[in-house]
Amino acid sequence: MKRLAIAICFLLLALSVQARGIREESDLVHEQARISYAFGMTVGGDLQQTGLAIEYAAFAEGFKAAMEQENTKLDRDEALELVQNAFERALLKRYAQLRDDEITFLAENAAGKGVTVTESGLQYVVLQEGSGPKPGPNDTVIVHYEGALVDGTVFDSSYPQGQPEEIPLDMVIPGWAEGIQLMSMGGKYLFYIPSNLAYGEYGAGQFIPPYSTLVFTVELIDIIDGQEPDEES
């Protein structure tokens, strides 16, 4: 994954228009200028997310030398090694900070009113207690739900379409499966799912960063028995 990120960064640089100079500002009047600016934004955004600090003058000098095929101050292998090592250090630092932030959040949240913590570390609050049976690990449930990050950013929800969803519990993240099995039909719970019960150190796509605690509000509407029938002898 890290090598892919580095490769993409260099690909973006290589695909940039062949500039014959780097100016402080661009008026973006011409299409070539707009495309160049867009590439700069893309690469800059990726670098900013890693937490890498860049010296713009040195970056521009190396970029210009490579684009115009001038003699560079570093050979290619040395440059690639420096970039890879810098990415790895930046990512390790960022991941460590994200992990520390999650530990702090979970510790503080566990002391909140009405919060129960299970043995696995799952945290939940009963918003409305249900009645009757609880689902098992092989069951399929019909639920309304909303999933968000701890900052309130919603990444998934069944509410906008106005229809609950049918979800097999053996096909979801461990924290979700564990939490739903605590509920009875008609119940509504708020779950705080630690990253080790969700998407861990890698996150999921562009919406769920590494070491993200997920906050789910779930209403259990129905249970579909998922037990397989006994085989005939």
Side-chain angles (χ1 to χ4, degrees), residues 139-143 145 165-172 176:
D139 288 343
T140 293
V141 294
I142 298 177
V143 295
Y145 69 91
E165 292 199 15
E166 189 174 299
I167 301 176
L169 290 184
D170 60 357
M171 296 182 65
V172 297
W176 218 86

Side-chain angles (χ1 to χ4, degrees), residues 4-136:
L4 178 60
I6 295 170
I8 291 173
C9 181
F10 276 99
L11 177 61
L12 287 170
L13 291 174
L15 289 175
S16 297
V17 296
Q18 296 193 0
R20 288 297 179 263
I22 298 176
R23 298 179 296 173
E24 288 295 326
E25 296 181 356
S26 175
D27 54 18
L28 304 188
V29 171
H30 303 294
E31 184 68 11
Q32 189 177 23
R34 291 174 59 82
I35 293 172
S36 300
Y37 190 86
F39 274 118
M41 281 183 59
T42 303
V43 174
D46 289 343
L47 289 173
Q48 190 276 334
Q49 288 184 9
T50 68
L52 279 168
I54 297 295
E55 291 189 8
Y56 299 130
F59 180 93
E61 182 183 351
F63 177 83
K64 181 175 180 294
M67 291 295 294
E68 298 190 356
Q69 299 183 339
E70 298 174 354
N71 290 329
T72 57
K73 296 179 179 179
L74 304 171
D75 63 47
R76 182 173 176 79
D77 289 341
E78 183 181 5
L80 287 172
E81 183 178 358
L82 284 169
V83 169
Q84 181 169 328
N85 290 340
F87 261 102
E88 290 178 350
R89 289 194 303 270
L91 287 173
L92 288 174
K93 182 178 179 179
R94 178 170 177 259
Y95 288 171
Q97 183 60 57
L98 291 172
R99 182 57 179 148
D100 288 345
D101 291 345
E102 182 184 35
I103 291 171
T104 299
F105 170 82
L106 290 169
E108 293 176 350
N109 195 69
K113 183 178 180 181
V115 177
T116 300
V117 184
T118 70
E119 185 176 348
S120 71
L122 174 69
Q123 301 181 9
Y124 68 93
V125 177
V126 178
L127 302 178
Q128 177 180 302
E129 193 59 90
S131 60
K134 293 178 169 62

Side-chain angles (χ1 to χ4, degrees), residues 155-229:
F155 57 81
D156 194 12
S157 178
S158 66
Y159 291 105
Q161 60 263 31
Q163 291 283 345
E165 292 199 15
E166 189 174 299
I167 301 176
L169 290 184
D170 60 357
M171 296 182 65
V172 297
I173 56 175
W176 218 86
E178 177 187 351
I180 302 301
Q181 292 179 71
L182 299 172
M183 306 176 69
S184 296
M185 286 200 308
K188 183 176 182 179
Y189 282 31
L190 176 63
F191 296 108
Y192 299 91
I193 304 178
S195 62
N196 66 301
L197 299 176
Y199 297 104
E201 63 181 307
Y202 300 108
Q206 61 180 333
F207 298 111
I208 301 176
Y211 295 113
S212 289
T213 293
L214 307 183
V215 183
F216 275 95
T217 302
V218 182
E219 298 178 64
L220 179 57
I221 296 171
D222 202 357
I223 303 169
I224 302 172
D225 189 356
Q227 295 294 330
E228 297 181 359

